[in-house]
């Protein structure tokens, strides 16, 4: 029996105002391209870590070149990750990616007490576009007013293919 790798399932999304709000409130945002790639993540999610490690470099490069807006929005699934997500929001914006990288690399990171109370905003907006777990990727083209959402891990090639399909 031969097993074939299935293409990722992309569900259409046409909620431009909700997607704009998600990008606006995301604790991590790089670039200002007309196409957005939003990753809904949990800092204790192993597949989020794998996705981040494999795609972060290319996403940042595309964002810095103006091809996309790359954003990461909290979607806390593991309750023991909540303090880490709160700490992330209390760190200076330019240090947040490094914080995520350290956690996903297995480093023990101290989550200082942080009063950030806006974690649920990302989750509520995420659910409005169909997010129900992590990792979830949202690919959106603001000029066309449409995009796609994918639940679960994607390979770097699949991510790039979804971006170019916009």
């Amino acid at each position: 029996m031969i097993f074939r790798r299935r293409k990722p399932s992309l569900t259409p999304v046409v909620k431009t105002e909700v997607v704009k709000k998600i990008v606006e409130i995301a604790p991590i945002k790089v670039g200002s391209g007309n196409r957005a790639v939003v990753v809904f993540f949990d800092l204790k999610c192993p597949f989020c870590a794998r996705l981040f490690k494999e795609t972060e470099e290319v996403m940042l490069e595309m964002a810095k070149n103006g091809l996309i807006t790359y954003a990461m929005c909290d979607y806390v699934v593991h309750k023991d990750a909540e303090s880490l997500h709160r700490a992330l929001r209390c760190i200076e914006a330019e240090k947040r990616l490094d914080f995520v990288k350290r956690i996903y690399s297995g480093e023990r990171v101290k989550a200082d007490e942080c009063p950030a109370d806006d974690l649920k905003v990302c989750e509520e907006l995420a659910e409005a576009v169909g997010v129900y777990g992590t990792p979830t990727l949202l690919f959106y083209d603001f000029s066309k007013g449409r995009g796609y959402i994918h639940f679960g891990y994607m390979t770097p090639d699949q991510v790039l293919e979804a971006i170019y399909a916009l």
Side-chain angles (χ1 to χ4, degrees):
M1 177 179 261
I2 297 174
F3 291 97
R4 296 178 195 213
R5 176 170 251 162
R6 293 179 14 194
K7 287 191 168 220
S9 173
L10 299 173
T11 304
V13 174
V14 290
K15 296 186 175 186
T16 300
E17 293 308 312
V18 175
V19 177
K20 282 182 181 177
K21 184 72 175 165
I22 290 168
V23 171
E24 179 184 308
I25 66 160
I28 296 172
K29 182 172 60 177
V30 180
S32 59
N34 207 29
R35 294 182 292 177
V37 178
V38 181
V39 178
F40 296 94
F41 71 108
D42 181 308
L43 288 168
K44 292 287 187 170
C45 165
F47 284 102
C48 296
R50 180 177 174 192
L51 178 72
F52 180 82
K53 289 175 191 175
E54 293 178 357
T55 63
E56 179 215 12
E57 190 175 310
V58 76
M59 294 293 103
L60 289 177
E61 187 67 30
M62 290 179 81
K64 289 175 183 173
N65 288 327
L67 299 173
I68 63 170
T69 298
Y70 174 54
M72 295 179 69
C73 209
D74 313 278
Y75 195 89
V76 180
V77 176
H78 301 88
K79 291 302 172 199
D80 59 335
E82 191 170 311
S83 61
L84 292 170
H85 281 273
R86 288 186 189 286
L88 172 69
R89 289 175 169 270
C90 285
I91 295 172
E92 297 170 43
E94 59 275 355
K95 294 182 180 180
R96 291 177 182 174
L97 270 173
D98 184 57
F99 182 79
V100 172
K101 187 182 290 187
R102 289 174 35 223
I103 290 170
Y104 284 157
S105 295
E107 185 178 321
R108 275 200 160 312
V109 176
K110 186 175 180 233
D112 295 327
E113 195 61 36
C114 179
D117 61 354
D118 52 356
L119 284 180
K120 297 297 179 201
V121 178
C122 261
E123 290 179 25
E124 289 165 3
L125 290 170
E127 289 168 1
V129 293
V131 175
Y132 59 88
T134 59
T136 297
L137 292 96
L138 171 63
F139 304 94
Y140 207 85
D141 187 328
F142 290 109
S143 67
K144 295 178 181 175
R146 66 177 169 82
Y148 304 96
I149 196 165
H150 173 77
F151 172 71
Y153 169 80
M154 294 175 84
T155 67
D157 287 342
Q158 291 170 331
V159 170
L160 289 174
E161 189 176 313
I163 293 169
Y164 292 122
L166 289 173

